[in-house]
Amino acid sequence: MSDAATPGEFELIRRYFMQDVEPACRSSQVSAHQARAGVVLGQGDDCALLAPSPGLRLAVSVDTSLADVHFPRDASAEAIGHRALAVNLSDLAAMGARPRWFVLALTLPEVDEQWLDGFARGLYGLAREHDIALVGGDITRGRELSITITVHGDVPEEGAITRHGARPGDLLAVTGALGSAHGGLRAWFDGQRDEHHPLVQAYLRPSPRVGEGMSIRHMVSGGLDISDGLLADLGHLCARSGVGACLEAGAIPLDQALVASLGEAQALEAALNGGDDYELLLALAPDQEAAVRQALETLGGALHVIGRVTAEPGITGVVSTGRGWQHFHAQDQQAQAHHGTGVAP
Amino acid sequence: MSDAATPGEFELIRRYFMQDVEPACRSSQVSAHQARAGVVLGQGDDCALLAPSPGLRLAVSVDTSLADVHFPRDASAEAIGHRALAVNLSDLAAMGARPRWFVLALTLPEVDEQWLDGFARGLYGLAREHDIALVGGDITRGRELSITITVHGDVPEEGAITRHGARPGDLLAVTGALGSAHGGLRAWFDGQRDEHHPLVQAYLRPSPRVGEGMSIRHMVSGGLDISDGLLADLGHLCARSGVGACLEAGAIPLDQALVASLGEAQALEAALNGGDDYELLLALAPDQEAAVRQALETLGGALHVIGRVTAEPGITGVVSTGRGWQHFHAQDQQAQAHHGTGVAP
């Protein structure tokens, strides 16, 4: 990062990615914001120093977002910054963890400060909303725009929502409408460039269910976030828990804008296989349903029961194939499911 | 990562990056190795769950290594795997932290399983040597080979080596010969492809000073690892500590193979500005010199005093410029120092 005409890595970090560090605190002191976040030593040394609370578990996850693979390169820089952090926060939400700290590795094909300013605005906007502190980073020059974020959260011992906890007889439920992000991606490729369009917004600016995950972590048996698509992620849940599932396709919540845009059959297809929804998929004992629903509604959310966990492996259900409704076994679908979301719809 | 002909991301992770997870433990259980490493839940869920010891600080750092920017693309996969983790471990060494856990984000232009096998061998070889556990990862398909690693270590409260602790009157010292890595990079570009060549090995397979950092962390005032080059990194130390430095160029340790390869003047230039050495640069009170030296020698290492911390800002010293020896002020050199190491020598 050292062209004569462009600022170096250190200067870029100082300008864009030390925003919660007051100038007076840019040496060894941390800002009040960072101290509240448990940061003992922030950016500027070889490592950040963090103080997780005693008795808690640390949850750690990493995700890379590549231009034109995980997001359209021509989306606004602000949306790209928001989205890169959102998909990582969603992994903390999926464990019921409280967001604490993140580090950022950014590979840039060029130094475009207007772009960096927008990116940082999107990143910090979401970071402040969820009270997660940026504590380190690395900026490199490369051919391809690439954003890798590692997030850290804490969760009480025995308190995490895991993929291995689903039990036969559990209800399967999701925290919101599915398929909208896929519909938004399709709309984007059809030329829709209004980032406030509800479907486009669902794709570019997902809202990770962080508060939801924390508020219900003690009430559910297991769960994860829906990033690869409902069927693929349900497959992960079942595989790790050693169970199967039966879906009620008619119960899967679909956004009205999605149905209006794609028709009901394709909307359901988007909900099943589209991915990028970042809603939570939960398994819970039937006697917990009322409590989970109430906790989610308190946060302005909702609980949609969409099926049940079975002892027999495999995912069965009733879905539209475009040729009418029929039974299916989702192993076939899983084999087709994309791993790592492509931006081509 | 989902061509019909190639395994998907999950399969690649299972094959290459769950090596310390016994097959019986690949669901929710952790292996004995992982449990010893403080891993409560390893790969396969949305986040890893980790249990840092009470009373300790967590040290976290991230570094990206890009093909043909940070390492030559035609180096062996094993060396690339080793090096990508080594540069991150060196950041833990620079804080005196004990390595605990790391996550890996890998972007691959193609799925070459022979390459992945070698890469994983280099990565795990070094990981096991330093008892650090891989606890999560992300593999994406992109145009450019890119490796981002986030490392986590622990260090006692008040025990970390920081960049802001250097004090006027402190000795400046390094833990080993400098410039060899830069000499190795030049040899590589001159066609030397023997990875056991001592200079090439210094570049491709650096030995992070992890044990050294842990053993002396309570004895030194401050320090960091030398990744950008002695002058640039000394500049970081001085800037963060609000001090200056006076170097004795004749005291800077140079490898005999480097001097034989480049001549003395260029060898010193490589030591001052070459980077990629991953030795530690330490500031210590004179009355600690004997204890630090003994601790390092116990580990088979050495301490080389190369100068002194001054109250006046700026770095002064006597160096070769190729036109004979003269005094210099290193601010000029710092402005030229590369940020992010290029592989072009």
Side-chain angles (χ1 to χ4, degrees), chain A residues 50-114:
Chain A
L50 312 171
S53 314
L56 292 187
R57 301 303 191 202
L58 196 72
V60 179
S61 185
V62 62
D63 257 310
T64 294
S65 298
L66 280 177
D68 292 331
V69 178
H70 302 93
F71 59 88
R73 180 70 180 88
D74 55 349
S76 74
E78 198 170 340
I80 293 171
H82 174 106
R83 191 175 193 286
L85 181 57
V87 302
N88 278 278
L89 283 172
S90 186
D91 282 321
L92 294 181
M95 306 296 284
R98 174 174 63 139
R100 301 297 303 273
W101 313 293
F102 71 107
V103 296
L104 166 71
L106 193 56
T107 300
L108 299 171
E110 73 209 335
V111 174
D112 173 344
E113 302 213 31
Q114 197 179 346

Side-chain angles (χ1 to χ4, degrees), chain B residues 188-267:
Chain B
W188 185 271
F189 276 94
D190 289 342
Q192 176 56 264
R193 288 293 182 279
D194 176 6
E195 294 192 356
H196 297 292
H197 182 285
L199 297 180
V200 171
Q201 186 155 1
Y203 176 70
L204 284 182
R205 297 184 193 241
S207 295
R209 299 303 185 192
V210 172
E212 289 83 348
M214 289 170 65
S215 74
I216 59 170
R217 62 190 174 202
H218 283 96
M219 307 173 190
V220 300
S221 316
L224 76 176
D225 65 325
I226 302 174
S227 52
D228 293 339
L230 174 60
L231 287 182
D233 287 311
L234 180 55
H236 301 325
L237 184 70
C238 290
R240 292 277 288 190
S241 294
V243 298
C246 180
L247 282 184
E248 288 177 52
I252 296 172
L254 304 174
D255 191 277
Q256 280 313 308
L258 180 70
V259 176
S261 167
L262 298 184
E264 196 161 342
Q266 286 216 40

Side-chain angles (χ1 to χ4, degrees), chain B residues 165-171 221 241-245 283-286 308-313:
Chain B
R167 294 288 167 265
D170 279 350
L171 301 177
S221 316
S241 294
V243 298
L284 56 146
R308 195 173 273 272
V309 177
T310 62
E312 317 81 64

Side-chain angles (χ1 to χ4, degrees), chain A residues 45-46 64 138 150 152 225, chain B residues 45-46 64 138 150 152 163 225:
Chain A
D45 216 307
D46 295 283
T64 294
D138 184 26
T150 305
H152 304 77
D225 65 325
Chain B
D45 216 309
D46 295 284
T64 294
D138 185 24
T150 305
H152 303 78
R163 297 184 178 190
D225 65 325

